[in-house]
Amino acid sequence: MTTVTCPYCFTRASAARLPYRCQMMPSGVRGAPCGPVRDDVWAGFTGPAAPPAARMRGPVFNAPRSVGRVLGTSAGSVPCPKCGVGTPVRVCGTCHNDLPSDYCDQDSRIIALVGAKASGKSTYVSVLVNELNQRVGQAYHASLAAMGASTQRRDKEMAEDLYERLRLPDATRPAALGFSDPLLYRLSLPRRGRPGGGTRHTTLVFFDAAGEDLADAEAMDRYTRYLSAADGIIMLVDPLQLGSVRDRLPVHDGPPLPAVEAPPEQIAADLATQLRAHGRRGARGRVSTPIAVAVTKTDMLGALLDPHSPLLANAPHQGGVYDDVDRLAVHEEMRSLLADWDSGTLLRRLELDFAEVSLFGLSALGAPPPADAPADAPKSGPRPVRVEDPLLWLLSRRGLLRVRGAGKGRTT
Ligand SMILES: Nc1nc2c(ncn2[C@@H]2O[C@H](COP(=O)(O)OP(=O)(O)OP(=O)(O)O)[C@@H](O)[C@H]2O)c(=O)[nH]1
Ligand SMILES: [Mg+2]
Ligand SMILES: [Zn+2]
Ligand SMILES: [Zn+2]
């Protein structure tokens, strides 16, 4: 029996039991077609941001039990008990959000993205999606497709802004101003890492919240449900938030340094507290969810990095195999940099709180925004470095990628 985690409210439910929504097709077979009814469940979840007209939606109904059992998943459509017209649209029983058409058919992996305000989350997601579709997708014979109209629309807008108009994303709206939709993608990878052996589809759910939501208890509630449903966490750390990095940067002509937010070790500790309280407590009280901690904006660190630093070039991805030796080199490099920058406070906190931690360093833009236009991407467009590493590590942890391990160059 397939279990589905709603990407909006993160409730888990059996795919066979998910309700349907009538599409109100005018070609009603039993006389009058259905009209819209007020969906208070959906409106209650979406909050005051939902305009009254949007609350009027196709009626939601449960399929007769026998139908659910026969169909198993979302395949096929089920007739509406009122108008008799079949509908394939499944909705979450708890929040009444419509699920994209093939969401219920495949395994989903929820990847939570966290980071202080302006740590680079929105820029990162846009660039990551683009890289997975191009360079990285090519190396792994993978493809990534946006699922559902809302992700497709947002992807298109983000790509036009960043890659055509060279505009950086605006600050993300905090949850208090209305709920932002999760980003849903279908990642297709060759089974056993090789083309020709069939394809495995995995749903990836990203949720790009506003940085301030992490600091707000009420907003944190939805965030927490998302975090506790996550199969892996990517935490972005802005190096420009670390006092000693700020002091050591050469007087540069880039945009002004960002305002100082909650320190990353505080965010990590709060995150762990929330996750433990929601059943993610593993051995020795450490959180069992793997966490990839990535220092962003590495393009700003030029002067602080060795010219041979592994942080300066992308991972090889040779033969569509994830190179764990390369990951360890990056982890060690980041460990020694952090030891120097913050006496290792962040890593110590992480190792106390999480059972599985790996450090990464990335730059979504590859260069600082131009000094005279801080809201723009560099003139040459984004030239990302190592943006894919945290996600690939989390996928490899789940057995979705072939891995070249540290033990005698083994590939599994
Ligand atoms: N140098 C450099 N700056 C970056 C990079 N990515 C983002 N920035 C800067 O960081 C700022 C914030 O980036 P966002 O992606 O909006 O950050 P966010 O975490 O989504 O911020 P909130 O939505 O407010 O929480 C951008 O406007 C850029 O100035 C990068 O790769 N390199
Ligand atoms: Mg943002
Ligand atoms: Zn839901
Ligand atoms: Zn109907």
Side-chain angles (χ1 to χ4, degrees), residues 57 72 161:
R57 320 187 76 201
D161 275 349

Side-chain angles (χ1 to χ4, degrees), residues 116-123 168-172 208-212 297 299-300 363-369 374:
K117 190 162 177 53
S119 53
K121 299 178 295 294
S122 301
T123 312
L168 293 174
D170 290 332
T172 305
D208 177 18
E212 52 267 58
K297 312 184 189 179
D299 54 87
M300 299 286 286
S363 165
L365 300 175

Side-chain angles (χ1 to χ4, degrees), residues 22 34 59 80 82-84:
C22 176
C34 279
C80 168
K82 261 192 16 233
C83 67

